[in-house]
Amino acid sequence: MSIAGLVMQTMTQNHFAAPSTVGTVQAAQLGLLVSLFFFPAASLFQKMSFAFFSSMLFTLLFLRLVKRLAFKERWLLPLVGLVYSGVLGSLAQMIAYRFNLVQSMTSWTQGSFSMIQTNQYEWLFLSLVILVVVWRFSAAFTLMSLGQDASRNLGLAYGKLETVGLFLIALTTSVTMITVGSLPFLGVIVPNLVRQFVGDNISRNIWRVSLSGACLVLVCDILSRLLIAPYELSVSLILGILGTGLFIFLLWRGSAYE
């Protein structure tokens, strides 16, 4: 999810963009809910497919909206993205309440490692494939961060690379949603914290971002098991508290330098 945030920030040229701030996570939840409604006995692959296509579709719509609006202030993108996420989340909640799917949706999206079972966690190995693909295209993504006109002048197939990036973000989000659940703000805070120390070169950042994101989730998981032991909190709760504070700090710090 940290790598997905890094790719999203490259595609939008905005350091506050991430799957959790532009509606990708909420779109995956909506797709998962649709699969639960129409196919209650659907396999894990079918659920992930619904989440993948939903997240890809609604993220593409948001990116088209962003290009049309052409924000001048960087903080406007996550603001509009959070409103967009709220609309998608509210739609999912409305469907869940209407058709008695609240408990099913909560069990899939709460963001916890306690419910992971055999034949479920194996999907997480797809993250390694995604990591390798992002590393393979890291030089192209670095050029992409210069903007659409500049990267095209340098010979980059901007449209095709944008499709690749969108595919990787949607796949990462859907795999994470199916196996773990929601991990809020992970794609925002980790790339920005790493960027403070090593700059914007994706080829140099990718391994640091992935390792830092994994360590942060591990720390949150340990805290969730220890704070009210023998009971266990949701990882997304701990990560949401930390992420919200860091996200506000990044917004404040970014505004201070503008």
Side-chain angles (χ1 to χ4, degrees):
M1 290 302 291
S2 300
I3 294 298
L6 182 64
V7 174
M8 178 69 76
Q9 291 163 19
T10 301
M11 292 173 58
T12 59
Q13 288 85 53
N14 191 300
H15 291 172
F16 301 129
S20 58
T21 60
V22 302
T24 307
V25 172
Q26 288 72 21
Q29 292 178 357
L30 181 60
L32 177 59
L33 182 64
V34 170
S35 71
L36 294 174
F37 175 69
F38 287 105
F39 306 100
S43 65
L44 200 63
F45 175 75
Q46 291 172 320
K47 291 183 175 70
M48 190 184 73
S49 299
F50 272 86
F52 168 76
F53 286 112
S54 177
S55 59
M56 192 163 183
L57 172 62
F58 285 103
T59 304
L60 179 62
L61 290 176
F62 180 80
L63 292 178
R64 294 294 179 265
L65 175 65
V66 167
K67 289 182 179 180
R68 183 174 294 273
L69 294 178
F71 299 121
K72 295 182 179 179
E73 301 289 343
R74 289 191 302 169
W75 56 269
L76 283 175
L77 186 143
L79 178 62
V80 174
L82 290 174
V83 173
Y84 184 72
S85 302
V87 172
L88 294 178
S90 299
L91 178 61
Q93 289 287 346
M94 181 181 67
I95 296 174
Y97 276 109
R98 175 64 180 81
F99 298 102
N100 298 320
L101 292 172
V102 175
Q103 186 174 0
S104 298
M105 188 180 72
T106 302
S107 64
W108 280 100
T109 62
Q110 64 178 337
S112 175
F113 292 93
S114 60
M115 298 298 292
I116 296 180
Q117 302 173 357
T118 305
N119 300 323
Q120 181 181 354
Y121 74 88
E122 290 87 351
W123 287 101
L124 287 173
F125 288 114
L126 270 175
S127 301
L128 298 177
V129 178
I130 294 168
L131 181 62
V132 172
V133 173
V134 175
W135 172 76
R136 173 65 179 81
F137 287 95
S138 58
F141 280 125
T142 301
L143 291 178
M144 192 180 189
S145 64
L146 298 175
Q148 183 172 346
D149 294 334
S151 58
R152 281 181 172 171
N153 289 336
L154 293 172
L156 184 69
Y158 188 91
K160 293 182 179 178
L161 188 62
E162 186 179 50
T163 303
V164 171
L166 182 60
F167 178 87
L168 294 173
I169 291 168
L171 183 59
T172 303
T173 304
S174 57
V175 168
T176 306
M177 181 63 62
I178 289 297
T179 52
V180 179
S182 177
L183 297 175
F185 296 111
L186 190 62
V188 179
I189 58 178
V190 174
N192 277 285
L193 291 177
V194 172
R195 190 179 288 113
Q196 300 297 320
F197 298 98
V198 295
D200 288 324
N201 190 300
I202 295 180
S203 302
R204 192 168 52 200
N205 288 359
I206 180 172
W207 305 107
R208 294 183 176 93
V209 169
S210 59
L211 183 59
S212 300
C215 290
L216 178 59
V217 173
L218 177 61
V219 170
C220 292
D221 185 40
I222 293 173
L223 289 174
S224 70
R225 298 170 188 267
L226 294 179
L227 289 177
I228 57 171
Y231 304 101
E232 184 174 340
L233 294 171
S234 171
V235 175
S236 59
L237 175 63
I238 306 297
L239 188 58
I241 294 173
L242 295 176
T244 300
L246 288 171
F247 182 57
I248 293 174
F249 171 75
L250 290 171
L251 284 173
W252 172 81
R253 192 172 187 272
S255 299
Y257 283 95
E258 289 179 355

